[in-house]
Amino acid sequence: MKKVLSLIAIVVMLFSVGCKTDSNRKQSLNMGIISERVMDQVVNDLVKEHGQENKEMIHRGAAQVAALWTDQDGSVEDYLRFCRENYIADQEQRNELFNKLSRNYEYIWGHFNQMILELTKPLHLDWGPIQPVDVMFGSYAPSAHLAEDFYKNKIAFLTVLNFPFFSLEEKNELGQNWDRLDWAYARMGDVFTSRVPAEIIQHMSRTGTEADNYVSEYNIIMGQLVNDAGEHLFPDHLRLITHWGLRDELKANYDGTEKGLEKQKMIYQVMQRIIDQSIPEKVINNTDVKWNPFTNDVYHEGQTLSTDPEPNTRYKHLLENFHARKAADPYAPNYPTAIERAFEQGLEMSMEEVEAVFIELVGDPLMKKVGDLIAERLGRDLEPFDIWYDGFKARSGISETELDQIVRERYPDAASLEKGIPGILIQLGYSKDRAEELASKIVVEGARGAGHAWGAQMRSQNSYLRTRIAEGGMTYNGFNIAAHELGHNVEQTISLHDVEHYLLNGIPNTAFTEALAFIFQTRDLELLGIQSDDPMTDHLKTLDILWGTYEIMGVSLVDMQVWRWMYDNPNATPEQLKKQTMKIAKDVWNSYFAPVFGIEDTPILAVYSHMISYPLYLSAYPLGHLIEFQIEEHVRGKNLADEIDRMFALGRFTPVHWMDQAVGEPLSAKPLLDAGTRSVAALTGRR
Ligand SMILES: [Zn+2]
């Protein structure tokens, strides 16, 4: 559902992944062989030839080529000659080079994208059983050698020399005076920024996969859990993955099920034992033993077993991911830490900036009011696990069964949904012509999984809406997901086709495409032509999003602080990392959650598995909701379709510039908080 291939992803995929198979070249890349003196020499020569006014750009390009140049690329003499022969000062000629590079990169990236799209169809589409051969082709990376090839044939150096890189700070600062072509040139400078050796990438990928396997095999056999009275609260077959499955089961018990609260407390106890690693290793993924998570006793056939706790494996994986990523630091001169690569490069916001926006929300006094409202709806004091409170669900006047019926009749198959897209877009305010134009670039296919939107990377390609179509037609839930994915597809189509420079296509980061996906998804009933008759629906939805954003921001703050600590303490042991992670989680809780919950010192915010297997990835989710509400605020009283067309044709500015031009203000939590304030007032005033 979140799978969106952005240009950034493609660029990272194509140009940081170099896989060397040549056994004669196993040695690490020897970067930085060009001395300052040599570089100064080339800069002086080129300035003499092309004039003082070009000095800044000459220096920038020559320095960046020098930083990426290795002994395998040639001697110092070769470097000098390369710079002298390939630097272009003339604006017209430089623009001609830019156009040629743009055309060719679009062709290359677009076709690689098309190959991957085709090769993974047996895995992604509803095509029946997956054969081993499908997995072999599906995991093949056709672009793996491109970066190596382009450094070898010097196209990478030609690009860097003439279209050098600007840091995030420079883009934000200088970008104020750039025109759109300057921005496109700067985006060309983002294409080659690192040269991480294949063995380091392979190691990173291996530790990532190992952490992923650890997490995906980390199941709790719920049917084997017993309370102090020896009773089983959960059904025999129930087996839950940490943390997703545990969290979702916890959420499902807010609907008044029998022993719901007792079950939630038991899940919470299990989570704490995972975090502090006091969980007996024997109970993980093991159907043979019974476990009382409160006393921590383990039983087999009526006997109490002696057990060992899990030996900090959770934190070993986190540390291994850290060391593997840190190993790439010397080869990424522009983003020399994994934190910068995740934030400055990936999100194009610094970690401090993201932290500040999150704290604006989690530290707002409104959260206490929402907490009080939840306590009142629950009829009890809040428990720490109520960060997953799931009771702000809007009940539309129409039952789910009726909705299923409506959707099923309208969209019995993928083709009918594809045919229906212009009609859906017209509901949002598009003209018939424009709706048909957008729809002509979107293909609908039946997905194997929940669904995703796969964007195009060249203008001759379509984007793909993959969604689940059940036997007998689409369900209402399927349509809800399809509406989300359609938001992605519309963003992908506008931001590729309506941005005049190919290198500037796209959006600042994935949070921005999520924002439009949320805007579509929240209008799902409207898109079916159904007007909700409950005025509280929107308020409940808002509070549901606000509370979910609060929770994930808390988790994300922990993730960031843990990484900062690992960089400060690179030789930490798993035991030290565990203790520190728990301390950080408790500190974040005590600062922003304890005042709302009235409970201190819980480490619950450290339970997310993303922290172990997808480091520093969590921030994009809550950012997407903040942007969603900023856009909603901005479009109120305007034609939504016109505004979508205008905003998503801006292209891939940095978030600061995009927000400024799209909604006229910086990224902020205020619109979501304002909407939350209105909703709390509406819900409390109603009683
Ligand atoms: Zn999404």
Side-chain angles (χ1 to χ4, degrees), residues 430-490:
Y430 277 104
S431 69
K432 187 164 174 291
D433 285 353
R434 177 66 176 153
E436 279 170 1
E437 187 186 0
L438 288 170
S440 73
K441 305 207 162 44
I442 301 168
V443 177
V444 178
E445 293 176 330
R448 192 183 282 282
H452 59 253
W454 192 298
Q457 295 297 333
M458 58 182 169
R459 282 165 282 194
S460 56
Q461 193 179 22
N462 291 318
S463 76
Y464 291 79
L465 193 168
R466 267 87 178 261
T467 187
R468 188 111 201 186
I469 309 226
E471 191 99 11
M474 188 178 251
T475 61
Y476 168 63
N477 184 260
F479 181 75
N480 176 273
I481 292 170
H484 177 98
E485 305 308 341
L486 181 61
H488 285 308
N489 292 119
V490 167

Side-chain angles (χ1 to χ4, degrees), residues 43-67:
V43 172
N44 286 338
D45 291 354
L46 286 170
V47 169
K48 226 175 274 167
E49 189 181 339
H50 299 290
Q52 195 67 27
E53 70 274 19
N54 289 309
K55 184 168 180 186
E56 209 284 310
M57 286 300 280
I58 290 170
H59 183 270
R60 195 176 273 270
Q64 290 177 14
V65 170

Side-chain angles (χ1 to χ4, degrees), residues 301-313:
E301 292 174 351
Q303 303 290 315
T304 309
L305 300 181
S306 75
T307 57
D308 294 318
E310 189 184 11
N312 292 333
T313 317

